[in-house]
Amino acid sequence: MAAKKETEKESRNRNCSIVISNESSLRSQPIIFNPDFFVEKLRHEKPEIFTELVVSNITRLIDLPGTEFAQLMGEMDPKLPCSSGSASGFFRSLNFLKRKDKGVIFGASLTEEGNAQIYQLIEYLHKNLQVEGLFRVPGNSIRQQTLKDSLNSGIDTDLDSGEFHPNDVATLLKTFLGELPEPLLTHKHYHVHLKIADLTMLDEKGNRTNVPNKERRIEALQLLFLLLPAANRNFLKLLLDLLYQTAKQQDKNKMSAHNLALMFAPHILWPKN
């Protein structure tokens, strides 16, 4: 009797995972639940509702003053740094347009096309994670400039030819991030990141302690990353995967997660002023 009930239970579970379709070829395929699909669907179909939902959940975790809240909602730009005048701003814009016309990716805003081009650096580094001091030991500046010029020109470069050292490529990747007009994690998220870093555990009396609240930090970061522009979010995924794989081989490369954080934090987030 117990065996029969177990069989019936397994049958029900199996039936629940089958795609309902008139095509016989699809009836045996299990349903794949992909939360990213529904997130992106809401983002594209109801962008305002999507932003409100994400921000409301972020404010559940951290307290945001009016200005920072408005920035996160996209209703207000972060404060601009002091400039030497509108003329200099005009020439900077003009120079940027010229660089953009030439297909330059260093110093230009993130795009999916730029991501695809810079990905060859990431792909090469995945093959050389065992190099000691990767991302910490600087490469050769002349070789880096040669590689940088090739990438800016859109020339296909064979990184496996032996012409370049992994340290050259690792340093150039950091250079690419540091030369972005806006940091990978964006200016308007800067103050929110500071508040997330301050999330700590509470004691029995409700007082803050110095113990990091890792769960709340991770939840807040996951929500905040949803608000990143698509190109930034996609590049961040590539970068985090590379750093994760690097830290997994810290016994060889001597680069722990802490060391990598020290190397990359200044290259992915900085205040606008």
Side-chain angles (χ1 to χ4, degrees):
M1 191 67 166
K4 183 179 179 181
K5 287 184 178 179
E6 186 64 26
T7 302
E8 290 176 354
K9 183 179 179 181
E10 290 178 358
S11 177
R12 285 197 303 272
N13 290 339
R14 192 163 53 245
N15 289 337
C16 289
S17 65
I18 301 299
V19 175
I20 299 175
S21 172
N22 291 328
E23 295 185 24
S24 57
S25 62
L26 295 178
R27 289 174 188 165
S28 60
Q29 300 299 319
I31 292 176
I32 299 175
F33 178 72
N34 182 1
D36 286 343
F37 169 78
F38 297 100
V39 169
E40 292 304 320
K41 188 172 187 293
L42 181 61
R43 186 199 307 275
H44 290 291
E45 293 183 358
K46 307 283 186 181
E48 293 181 358
I49 294 177
F50 171 82
T51 302
E52 288 178 4
L53 281 172
V54 174
V55 173
S56 66
N57 276 280
I58 292 176
T59 55
R60 174 175 53 83
L61 299 168
I62 57 177
D63 179 42
L64 291 177
T67 303
E68 294 172 13
F69 180 83
Q71 287 178 9
L72 204 55
M73 290 291 292
E75 299 169 354
M76 181 179 184
D77 289 331
K79 269 189 175 180
L80 292 171
C82 295
S83 64
S84 56
S86 58
S88 62
F90 169 76
F91 285 116
R92 282 198 299 272
S93 300
L94 184 61
N95 288 333
F96 172 73
L97 289 174
K98 289 180 179 177
R99 293 197 304 271
K100 189 175 180 182
D101 289 340
K102 293 180 180 178
V104 173
I105 59 173
F106 283 82
S109 298
L110 273 177
T111 62
E112 294 297 359
E113 292 77 14
N115 285 354
Q117 199 168 341
I118 208 72
Y119 177 69
Q120 56 190 309
L121 301 183
I122 295 175
E123 190 176 32
Y124 171 79
L125 289 171
H126 271 290
K127 304 173 188 175
N128 295 275
L129 297 178
Q130 73 284 353
V131 175
E132 186 172 341
L134 193 66
F135 297 115
R136 177 174 53 80
V137 177
N140 179 275
S141 59
I142 296 176
R143 292 197 299 262
Q144 287 174 46
Q145 187 61 49
T146 301
L147 180 55
K148 184 177 181 180
D149 291 341
S150 297
L151 290 169
N152 278 336
S153 302
I155 299 174
D156 291 333
T157 306
D158 183 11
L159 294 174
D160 294 317
S161 65
E163 181 181 356
F164 303 101
H165 189 275
N167 287 337
D168 302 331
V169 179
T171 303
L172 194 59
L173 178 62
K174 290 194 298 181
T175 300
F176 170 77
L177 288 166
E179 291 185 359
L180 290 172
E182 184 179 23
L184 178 64
L185 300 182
T186 73
H187 287 310
K188 71 178 184 179
H189 293 178
Y190 176 77
H191 293 290
V192 183
H193 277 287
L194 296 184
K195 290 183 178 294
I196 291 174
D198 283 339
L199 285 174
T200 56
M201 300 290 287
L202 301 178
D203 60 20
E204 296 177 354
K205 297 180 180 179
N207 298 317
R208 286 183 59 174
T209 67
N210 293 324
V211 181
N213 192 328
K214 293 183 179 180
E215 289 186 2
R216 287 172 71 90
R217 286 182 181 180
I218 291 173
E219 184 181 357
L221 285 172
Q222 288 175 330
L223 289 165
L224 191 58
F225 291 159
L226 289 175
L227 298 178
L228 284 172
N232 296 56
R233 192 168 62 256
N234 292 334
F235 191 90
L236 180 63
K237 288 179 181 179
L238 296 174
L239 180 63
L240 289 179
D241 180 57
L242 173 64
L243 298 183
Y244 171 70
Q245 297 299 333
T246 303
K248 282 180 68 175
Q249 297 202 33
Q250 61 179 298
D251 57 322
K252 298 176 182 177
N253 57 41
K254 311 304 180 187
M255 295 301 292
S256 64
H258 177 73
N259 291 337
L260 290 168
L262 292 177
M263 293 295 103
F264 275 88
H267 295 277
I268 64 174
L269 186 65
W270 60 84
K272 188 153 190 172
N273 54 357

